[in-house]
Each structure stands twice: as structure tokens, then as C-alpha cells.
Amino acid sequence: MGEEGELAAEKHVRYIVTAEKKKDSFEWLVMEHLRASGAYWGLTTLDLLHKLHAVDAAEVVDWIMSCYHPESGGFGGNVGHDPHVLYTLSAVQVLCLFDRLDVLDADKIADYITGLQNEDGSFSGDIWGEVDTRFSYISICTLSLLHRLHKINVDKAVEYIVSCKNLDGGFGAMPGGESHAGQIFCCVGALAITGSLHHIDRDLLGWWLCERQCRDGGLNGRPEKLADVCYSWWVLSSLIIIDRVHWIDKEKLAKFILNCQDKENGGISDRPDNAVDIYHTYFGVAGLSLMEYPGVKPMDPAYALPLDVVNRIFLTKQQ
């Protein structure tokens, strides 16, 4: 793999490290409210490319902790922003990268997440109550990384996710919601973490997912949509978890991702010749990682973190 074009790893590293410094750029402005997730995307990419040391770990950890709300136990997307499970997971994932979970009050965070589980097993994203299977995955993933999964009603959480399963084998955002690759990753990932993959029809879902490969080699999120680099992660990770990844053409997919690189300035875009951003740079490199691209660290498909980071968390003694 990689004859067609090579991964411009050094350029991508430079792009990520300098993106955060351009405080007046358009990208910085549109990312303002989800800076914690941006940090997770950028830093995980650096780690996958063996370059996490390019940033000051202490500075990152301090900034992450400045987004923490000690009274609720959740993290905001930026300093002074309201807490939400999405940014709480991003914060925990970043601290996992640096092996600094010790700075957290794991029980307080676990209580925050537990308080967002609803009667039917679903999860709200924050106090405003929006329900989505994304929040089920985020809550389960965060608690698992903190060794606190026992604090929620896991059976009910699984039951709710299974109730979002569709006749095509996929999953939606809520019961009856349309199957979508992003939601499928959330549901499959949550079922993997809770040891509940027996609820999935692997062949049916695998078929739906491999049908996401377009003529240009890229993957889309739903039928009739254009390919987008981010689905390289959402679709591939799900296929790996259910053991059906051999059903797609990895050569063509790798070529599609490499064609979305800005080889001059670094970064990866959603599709060839579009503007690059941190989000698609992360998902492009993560997709290549799942295909064992040379020079990219392997990733855990359920936790969306480098495999060595996940192994470190689960092989070290639980608190």
C-alpha cells in the first residue's frame, strides 16, 4: 500500500502543531466552542504519527483541567463553556494519551455521567436533555476508561442501544432513526465495550457497511451520499469490531485518503481538493492506522485511542 502517494506525515504534524497558534484564523474561530474535541483530534493524530512529544504535555493538561467544572464533574468544550458528555470524553481521552488520569476525580466524573442516564437506559448529553445513541457510546467509553462502568445500569444502556437497531442491520440516533455510519460506530463501539456484540447481525451489518464504499474508493455515511474521509474511521472501525473488514477494498480506500492530503502545507480534507481541517486530518490518519499503514501506530477501534494507550489503561491496576 502507498505506492500511489505517500503519507506526508511531517507536514501533517507541522499543520497540527501550528493550527492551535493561529488565534485569528477562521478555523480557530469555528472551533472555539469545541476546542476540547479539537485537542483530542490533533493530539491523537500526533501520537499515531509518533510525535506527541511535539507539544508541551504539562501545558495541555493544565488547559484541559481549566475546562473542568468541579461542581458538576463534567468538562466544557472550552474554558468557561458549559459541561457536556462529548467534551468530557475528549478531555479524558487527551489525559489518557499523556498518561495523566491521576489528575482527575474519577468518581465525580462518573457521578456526572451516571446522572445523565435516563429511565429507559438512554443518555442525555447534558442537563438540557437531548438524547442520542452518540451519548450512550460517549458515556460508556468514558466510564470504561475510568474503570467506572459499574456505576451505570449497563443492561439498560445495552437494551436501549439494541432498540435503535434497524432492519438493515444498522443503528440510528434513536429508535426508528435512519441507519448512519457515525451512529453505527457509536452503537457497535458501545456494544463492544460492554461485551454485548451478540446483539449484532454481523453479516447484515457488514454488508450495509461495505456498501458504503464509493467508486472513488472512499466511504460514505449513508446511501447516495458522497465519500468523505471521516467515514474511513466510522465504517472501518465498525467493520473491524464485527470482523468483516476484509469485505472492502483497502487499497482503494487508502488511495482516496492520501489523495485528500494537502502535500504542501499539511492537513487532510473531506474529499480531494477541498480545504483541510483538524477533524478530517485525524480521521484520515486514523483510517490509515486501521489499515495498518506503515509508520502509523495501531488504534483500538472501540476506544478510538492508540492501542498502546488503551493497553496501558487496562493492564495497569484498577484504582
Side-chain angles (χ1 to χ4, degrees):
M1 233 180 329
E3 282 80 54
E4 291 301 324
E6 292 298 325
L7 180 65
E10 292 301 323
K11 296 264 173 72
H12 300 326
V13 168
R14 193 160 56 237
Y15 165 70
I16 290 164
V17 173
T18 56
E20 184 53 38
K21 305 202 167 41
K22 296 175 182 162
K23 295 282 192 273
D24 53 351
S25 70
F26 173 71
E27 182 168 11
W28 201 88
L29 288 169
V30 295
M31 292 270 297
E32 216 267 334
H33 66 292
L34 43 84
R35 180 95 14 230
S37 293
Y40 156 70
W41 299 326
L43 294 165
T44 307
T45 308
L46 292 180
D47 198 9
L48 291 173
L49 298 174
H50 305 273
K51 289 287 192 296
L52 191 59
H53 56 267
V55 296
D56 182 329
E59 205 178 289
V60 175
V61 171
D62 283 351
W63 178 80
I64 284 286
M65 292 313 293
S66 69
C67 298
Y68 179 59
H69 290 256
E71 62 292 346
S72 71
F75 283 81
N78 206 337
V79 183
H81 291 220
D82 290 343
H84 193 286
V85 283
L86 181 55
Y87 307 120
T88 303
L89 173 59
S90 294
V92 169
Q93 286 171 318
V94 168
L95 294 170
C96 287
L97 292 175
F98 292 106
D99 198 14
R100 288 305 311 275
L101 290 178
D102 60 298
V103 300
L104 295 175
D105 181 341
D107 286 316
K108 184 78 179 159
I109 296 170
D111 289 343
Y112 167 68
I113 292 171
T114 304
L116 293 168
Q117 186 172 27
N118 302 308
E119 202 47 49
D120 62 358
S122 67
F123 284 84
S124 301
D126 58 16
I127 55 166
W128 306 108
E130 183 197 355
V131 170
D132 187 315
T133 45
R134 279 186 311 153
F135 307 145
S136 296
Y137 166 76
I138 288 165
S139 301
I140 286 167
C141 186
T142 309
L143 291 175
S144 182
L145 291 169
L146 295 175
H147 303 297
R148 299 291 190 281
L149 201 49
H150 57 274
K151 291 218 164 192
I152 56 163
N153 187 330
V154 176
D155 290 342
K156 276 203 138 174
V158 168
E159 206 176 291
Y160 179 77
I161 291 167
V162 173
S163 76
C164 299
K165 187 165 66 167
N166 292 321
L167 293 172
D168 56 17
F171 293 83
M174 54 200 63
E178 181 191 5
S179 293
H180 180 280
Q183 303 294 155
I184 287 170
F185 162 76
C186 291
C187 295
V188 171
L191 293 176
I193 292 169
T194 56
S196 313
L197 287 173
H198 56 278
H199 289 291
I200 292 173
D201 183 332
R202 292 172 189 238
D203 285 343
L204 189 61
L205 177 57
W207 180 251
W208 190 93
L209 288 167
C210 75
E211 289 263 279
R212 305 281 59 79
Q213 190 156 32
C214 304
R215 282 211 177 120
D216 56 13
L219 300 167
N220 64 20
R222 287 177 294 165
E224 308 301 326
K225 297 288 182 184
L226 290 172
D228 181 324
V229 159
C230 72
Y231 293 111
S232 307
W233 167 266
W234 306 117
V235 174
L236 270 186
S237 54
S238 301
L239 283 169
I240 289 170
I241 292 169
I242 63 170
D243 197 23
R244 295 295 181 272
V245 75
H246 50 285
W247 287 5
I248 65 153
D249 187 331
K250 292 186 191 176
E251 293 282 339
K252 281 179 76 173
L253 177 56
K255 198 169 153 185
F256 175 80
I257 296 171
L258 295 169
N259 280 341
C260 294
Q261 299 181 100
D262 178 338
K263 292 213 167 119
E264 297 302 305
N265 307 304
I268 299 175
S269 56
D270 57 348
R271 50 189 72 96
D273 303 321
N274 282 358
V276 303
D277 58 59
I278 292 275
Y279 176 85
H280 289 94
T281 303
Y282 162 61
F283 285 112
V285 173
L288 291 170
S289 163
L290 294 177
M291 292 186 282
E292 300 172 359
Y293 191 88
V296 183
K297 277 168 69 167
M299 268 189 106
D300 185 290
Y303 289 97
L305 283 167
L307 200 52
D308 60 341
V309 173
V310 174
N311 287 340
R312 184 174 68 214
I313 289 163
F314 293 110
L315 296 174
T316 48
K317 195 175 174 332
Q318 295 192 12
Q319 291 157 3

